[in-house]
Amino acid sequence: MSAALTILGKDLRLRLRDRSLLMFAVVVPLGLTVLFSLIFPDEEGFELTAAVVDADGGQVAGGFVDGVVPALVDDGVLTRVQVTDADEARVRVADGELDVAWIVPEGFSAAVAAGRPAELEVLVAAGRTLGGEVAVGIAEGFAAQVEQVALAVAVDAAVTGPASPERIEAIATGAETAPEAIAVAELVAGEEQRLDFTSYMAAGMASFFVFFVVGTGVLGRLEESQHNTLPRLLASPIPPAAVDLGKALGSLVVGIGSMTVLVAATMLLLGADWGPLTGVAVLVVGLVLAAMGVMALVGGFARTAEQAGNFQSIVAVVLGVLGGAFFPIPGEGVLVELATSISPHGWFLRGITDLVATGQVGAVLPAAGALLAIAVVVAVPAVWLQRRSWRW
Amino acid sequence: MVRGSRLDQVLVCSGLRKAFGELQAVDEVSFSIARGETYGLLGPNGAGKTTSISMVAGLLRPDAGEVTVLGRRLTPTAAAAKSAVGLVPQEVAIYPDLSARENLRFFGRLQGLDRRELDTRTDEVLALIGLTDRAGDRADTFSGGMKRRLNIGIGLLHRPELLILDEPTVGVDPQSRNAILESVEDLATDGLAVLYTTHYMEEAERLCDRIAIVDKGRIVAEGTRRELIATIGEHDLVRLEIDGDVQAAVEQLRGLSELGSVEVEDDHIVCLLAGAARRLPALLGAVAEVGAVTTGVEVREPDLEDVFLHLTGAALRD
């Protein structure tokens, strides 16, 4: 192990002095993320195309439908589109024709009047993150307004009516401790939650370039042959496997290091949302291992480091495109599913998306499992291929 | 061909064979090297010298035969045997982005030197190879000769018992080449066993106590310089430069008696014969008989190049 660590230390020193590594590991992916973020900014316009469905028709619902919404239209925040019912609203939001829709369900006013929990549904089209926040904010503002009114009516009735002081106190206490009159449910249209553009690009670029970052190290003996140092290493009194172990460790450390820098930099500089960092760490390790396996397998077919580098570049680009590292693969179906499923990039992006959507570290387990499975599946033939040239 | 007491032998190679597909690269190669001895493998490119050295250094598994270093069989995992060997590969084997000191320290750690020993030996070797002043400079800023010296220094760092030098002067300027040869002479004087491969006859003659002439994977002759030259008898070498039909002249010369050999080398005719001064008129007469004119004559004692030509029928540089 000591020999492997010595080789690891040497490789890290060489990598740090290699400016091309700094370019591939940090500068280019970060630069491209910044560039794409500038070209395609996340910020959506505040003018939302929205619909309101009033299935209740009651007085409280009317306050929202005929009071709040027209005021927003007048302020230029909303462009209101007429829909016939909730089903049409759902379809048009799912299709992206509408940015958002509010649905006031039947019985809404009655529930508010009776002090029972009521629900105002907010539908948000996929990718309209900021619009969704605005729509939810409008609904929450209305809910707070209704609560204040309900409390004022209750207090007024208690003061003017023939109620005892004990009843007044009970009503006031009830108003304070009652469940929130209106719970706002943000229901995102479509099956899939998506990352905002900056976060998507950050994750995509980081996953794409980490393949290049780990590529050289996993070539192991081929890389040492390039310096003519392999005979000297193998003639040293160390286990021959220490050479391969040291170089693999170097790839792992450099890969994880570059991903860590990119995650931190895109969070701090660009405000990218990666989700809980524990989950990100699990996915990063899985991605780096998968990248090492894939690059080692590809390199196993090469006779020289230069040839291996060419093979690796082709495979990294193809897998990156299939996995949606640059842009999400458009369309649906078996082929698209298959394409993204064989790509570590696709699994990594899926894992980050799930992590951000749920905020739960456990959400990364399917993607992390898939990445580890890819790593194992490709590592076995990779080791076999490389061992052909290791035979004494 | 193993000489001396086995106790003195640092390296013993017995019956080494190695084939690459149809090509028999090394065929029944056996030799040994004693402490303080410099042993040369002399042969043209492709003769099997580097393949032999790869087996001696444990980089290549022999198809047959065995290598022992200080009595221990050498395999990829035989740490003790490998520790006794210092390898200086033919190509410069250093990391260009590391300094001279960093290169030495890295390989020293792999050899298992502890921190104190590493510090001491690094300074000693830097002084030995004349790079103390440039110790902190990256190797990619060095001249070719400096890189070669560093290449040798790494092989010496852990005080090996056997130093293997594979064509260490290829592509080196004359000044650096001379410095390298002097270093090797000093090392042997200090008791190191040295295995030296070269296709430069002068280097083998200058450095090696014993020389094996290698051709097509086999050792075709082995011994001291004097012993090897004696294999072609008490002959002189006559080199004739002629104007005319060279092949016809060769045939005519071959008809003469007491000629060791007659070969063509670079459009010159090279003859080995005893008593060259006395026989020279007969040679010139034979050339004249085929209508050719002798335009130049050189008579000298044969060297290893001539031995090689005599044994293999080809020039060493072919």
Side-chain angles (χ1 to χ4, degrees):
Chain A
M1 193 64 187
S2 148
L5 291 177
T6 300
I7 292 168
L8 164 67
K10 180 267 296 177
D11 274 1
L12 290 181
R13 184 173 292 195
L14 288 174
R15 298 270 185 280
L16 288 173
R17 289 180 186 177
D18 182 359
R19 288 179 187 169
S20 64
L21 176 81
L22 184 67
M23 294 294 287
F24 276 115
V26 179
V27 176
V28 177
L30 190 58
L32 285 176
T33 305
V34 171
L35 182 67
F36 285 125
S37 299
L38 291 174
I39 296 171
F40 307 106
D42 284 322
E43 199 173 353
E44 299 160 274
F46 282 95
E47 186 172 345
L48 299 172
T49 303
V52 184
V53 178
D54 185 3
D56 178 56
Q59 196 177 0
V60 180
F64 183 73
V65 175
D66 301 325
V68 174
V69 173
L72 293 169
V73 172
D74 291 344
D75 289 343
V77 176
L78 289 184
T79 299
R80 185 172 177 179
V81 174
Q82 294 299 329
V83 292
T84 52
D85 55 22
D87 288 341
E88 184 190 347
R90 288 181 207 283
V91 169
R92 294 180 73 173
V93 168
D95 290 346
E97 288 178 39
L98 295 174
D99 295 322
V100 297
W102 291 279
I103 297 173
V104 186
E106 190 179 347
F108 179 82
S109 297
V112 171
R116 296 195 306 272
E119 189 171 278
L120 173 59
E121 229 178 278
V122 183
L123 300 176
V124 182
R128 313 294 207 282
T129 311
L130 191 59
E133 285 174 8
V134 170
V136 171
I138 290 167
E140 284 177 335
F142 176 65
Q145 201 178 1
V146 169
E147 278 178 355
Q148 285 173 1
V149 171
L151 184 60
V153 168
V155 171
D156 183 59
V159 171
T160 57
S164 65
E166 289 80 8
R167 174 163 171 73
I168 294 170
E169 190 179 346
I171 291 170
T173 306
E176 282 174 11
T177 58
E180 192 176 0
I182 300 173
V184 178
E186 183 185 4
L187 304 174
V188 176
E191 293 179 358
E192 191 182 347
Q193 172 79 18
R194 292 186 182 174
L195 295 173
D196 64 80
F197 188 79
T198 300
S199 303
Y200 188 91
M201 285 311 299
M205 290 298 99
S207 64
F208 178 72
F209 280 98
V210 80
F211 276 68
F212 293 90
V213 170
V214 304
T216 311
V218 294
L219 295 180
R221 299 183 180 204
L222 219 48
E223 189 200 12
E224 291 292 342
S225 296
Q226 203 174 14
H227 293 300
N228 304 314
T229 43
L230 184 60
R232 184 158 259 159
L233 291 181
L234 295 178
S236 303
I238 61 172
V243 177
D244 310 296
L245 180 61
K247 301 201 75 67
L249 286 174
S251 272
L252 185 68
V253 170
V254 171
I256 290 174
S258 80
M259 290 290 292
T260 304
V261 170
L262 285 174
V263 170
T266 53
M267 282 173 68
L268 296 173
L269 301 178
L270 304 173
D273 183 7
W274 289 80
L277 292 179
T278 309
V280 177
V282 171
L283 286 171
V284 163
V285 172
L287 176 71
V288 171
L289 289 174
M292 287 171 62
V294 170
M295 294 289 97
L297 177 61
V298 175
F301 290 101
R303 291 185 179 276
T304 64
E306 187 184 3
Q307 194 180 43
N310 293 336
F311 290 171
Q312 287 179 333
S313 299
I314 293 167
V315 170
V317 170
V318 170
L319 288 177
V321 170
L322 288 179
F326 296 96
F327 45 82
I329 298 291
E332 293 176 353
V334 177
L335 283 178
V336 173
E337 275 294 312
L338 185 65
T340 52
S341 296
I342 63 169
S343 165
H345 307 73
W347 282 107
F348 179 73
L349 289 166
R350 197 177 298 186
I352 292 292
T353 304
D354 293 344
L355 187 63
V356 170
T358 63
Q360 302 293 317
V361 174
V364 305
L365 291 179
L371 287 168
L372 287 175
I374 290 173
V376 171
V377 166
V378 294
V380 172
V383 169
W384 180 80
L385 273 174
Q386 296 209 3
R387 279 186 72 89
R388 288 190 312 174
S389 59
W390 300 350
R391 283 193 196 125
W392 183 53
Chain B
M1 290 193 182
V2 176
R3 291 185 168 202
S5 157
R6 267 192 104 76
L7 290 175
D8 295 336
Q9 305 302 335
V10 175
L11 172 71
V12 177
C13 300
S14 313
L16 294 181
R17 291 173 60 88
K18 184 72 190 177
F20 299 106
E22 296 292 308
L23 176 70
Q24 188 68 44
V26 172
D27 191 6
E28 288 295 334
V29 165
S30 300
F31 61 91
S32 63
I33 308 177
R35 214 175 290 277
E37 184 182 29
T38 300
Y39 186 91
L41 292 178
L42 176 67
N45 292 328
K49 304 187 298 292
T50 297
T51 304
S52 299
I53 272 190
S54 296
M55 290 188 279
V56 172
L59 305 176
L60 205 58
R61 180 201 297 272
D63 294 339
E66 178 177 89
V67 176
T68 59
V69 177
L70 296 172
R72 300 186 187 96
R73 186 160 181 265
L74 197 137
T75 66
T77 52
K82 288 168 88 177
S83 290
V85 179
L87 174 66
V88 180
Q90 184 173 344
E91 304 290 341
V92 173
I94 59 176
Y95 297 101
D97 291 337
L98 296 184
S99 69
R101 185 181 295 281
E102 287 168 339
N103 267 290
L104 287 165
R105 291 184 67 86
F106 168 68
F107 287 108
R109 281 194 199 98
L110 292 186
Q111 291 290 346
L113 300 185
D114 62 37
R115 185 183 291 268
R116 220 172 96 185
E117 204 178 359
L118 196 57
D119 290 341
T120 308
R121 279 301 289 163
T122 300
D123 288 339
E124 286 175 1
V125 169
L126 282 168
L128 182 72
I129 60 179
L131 288 177
T132 303
D133 293 343
R134 301 288 304 272
D137 293 348
R138 281 166 50 142
D140 58 3
T141 64
F142 290 176
S143 67
M146 291 162 79
K147 287 177 184 170
R148 284 273 168 197
R149 274 144 53 197
L150 178 57
N151 196 37
I152 294 173
I154 293 169
L156 291 168
L157 188 70
H158 60 292
R159 300 181 197 275
E161 302 270 353
L162 168 69
L163 183 66
I164 301 173
L165 294 148
D166 189 7
E167 308 237 19
T169 59
V170 170
V172 173
D173 61 270
Q175 195 180 352
S176 295
R177 185 182 183 191
N178 198 47
I180 289 170
L181 297 181
E182 281 177 5
S183 302
V184 176
E185 285 171 329
D186 292 343
L187 292 169
T189 306
D190 291 345
L192 197 66
V194 178
L195 174 58
Y196 193 96
T197 77
T198 182
H199 63 275
Y200 296 127
M201 177 267 300
E202 320 84 67
E203 288 184 9
E205 287 191 326
R206 173 175 166 180
L207 294 177
C208 301
D209 301 303
R210 285 187 301 131
I211 299 161
I213 292 181
V214 185
D215 185 47
K216 295 174 183 164
R218 298 183 68 89
I219 293 179
V220 293
E222 186 201 45
T224 63
R225 175 183 177 276
R226 186 170 296 279
E227 287 169 342
L228 287 171
I229 290 173
T231 60
I232 57 177
E234 294 297 320
H235 289 101
D236 295 321
L237 184 139
V238 179
R239 188 179 171 90
L240 302 175
E241 186 178 343
I242 68 165
D243 184 6
D245 188 342
V246 174
Q247 279 308 321
V250 167
E251 293 306 317
Q252 190 70 19
L253 288 167
R254 282 179 178 156
L256 298 177
S257 59
E258 297 179 24
L259 251 64
S261 69
V262 182
E263 304 288 348
V264 178
E265 186 186 332
D266 293 344
D267 292 332
H268 293 70
I269 298 173
V270 179
C271 308
L272 280 170
L273 71 165
R278 179 174 51 82
R279 301 274 299 162
L280 200 53
L283 293 183
L284 299 179
V287 171
E289 279 179 27
V290 297
V293 178
T294 305
T295 56
V297 177
E298 180 192 357
V299 179
R300 60 173 172 80
E301 285 189 350
D303 56 23
L304 289 177
E305 180 104 31
D306 304 315
V307 174
F308 190 86
L309 183 69
H310 175 69
L311 292 172
T312 67
L316 195 51
R317 61 180 172 278
D318 286 349

